[in-house]
Amino acid sequence: MVNNIATVGRSGVHDFILIRASAIILALYTFLVLGFFLITPEVTFDVWQGFIACLPVKIFTVLALFSLVIHAWIGVWQVLSDYVKPAFLRGSLQFFFAVTLLTYLVAGLLIVWGV
């Protein structure tokens, strides 16, 4: 068996489960935000800030952020491993996307916990 350190779950089955679980979490988070906009008659900055500042929403937002990063990384890894054959180019692109996703994760955490 060949081990590939670029995958998140270390095997196809784990990646499959992670991608499905992250998709469910992202869908639930989308429903939460859509529900907020449908229920709230007038969304002002104070109302939005109060919604995001609520601890359960912060925790769910962070969970959605982690899910987004995991989902994106598995997708990027699969696309690059399927379509980019030169190893150096694929490795460089994986590094670029890994740094980009890590930057998004850190920025998202700072934004969520800064509210």
Side-chain angles (χ1 to χ4, degrees), residues 19-104:
I19 205 111
R20 294 319 183 262
S22 65
I24 290 169
I25 292 169
L26 290 171
L28 291 174
Y29 187 75
T30 301
F31 291 144
L32 173 73
V33 173
L34 285 174
F36 169 76
F37 282 112
L38 291 175
I39 292 173
T40 308
E42 185 178 339
V43 179
T44 62
F45 177 76
D46 293 330
V47 172
W48 177 250
Q49 187 178 21
F51 174 70
I52 293 296
C54 179
L55 185 61
V57 175
K58 278 187 176 187
I59 292 171
F60 198 29
T61 302
V62 169
L63 183 62
L65 185 60
F66 277 113
S67 296
L68 182 67
V69 169
I70 290 169
H71 198 92
W73 175 250
I74 293 173
V76 165
W77 175 80
Q78 288 179 345
V79 168
L80 291 178
S81 63
D82 285 347
Y83 296 109
V84 180
K85 296 303 177 191
F88 179 76
L89 179 59
R90 185 175 58 242
S92 299
L93 288 171
Q94 284 179 346
F95 177 76
F96 170 76
F97 284 114
V99 169
T100 302
L101 289 173
L102 183 62
T103 303
Y104 289 162

Side-chain angles (χ1 to χ4, degrees), residues 61-62 65 101-115:
T61 302
V62 169
L65 185 60
L101 289 173
L102 183 62
T103 303
Y104 289 162
L105 179 65
V106 170
L109 290 172
L110 292 173
I111 290 168
V112 167
W113 292 106
V115 173

Side-chain angles (χ1 to χ4, degrees), residues 4-17:
N4 190 341
I5 61 171
T7 63
V8 175
R10 302 286 188 239
S11 75
V13 174
H14 288 113
D15 284 350
F16 178 84
I17 292 170

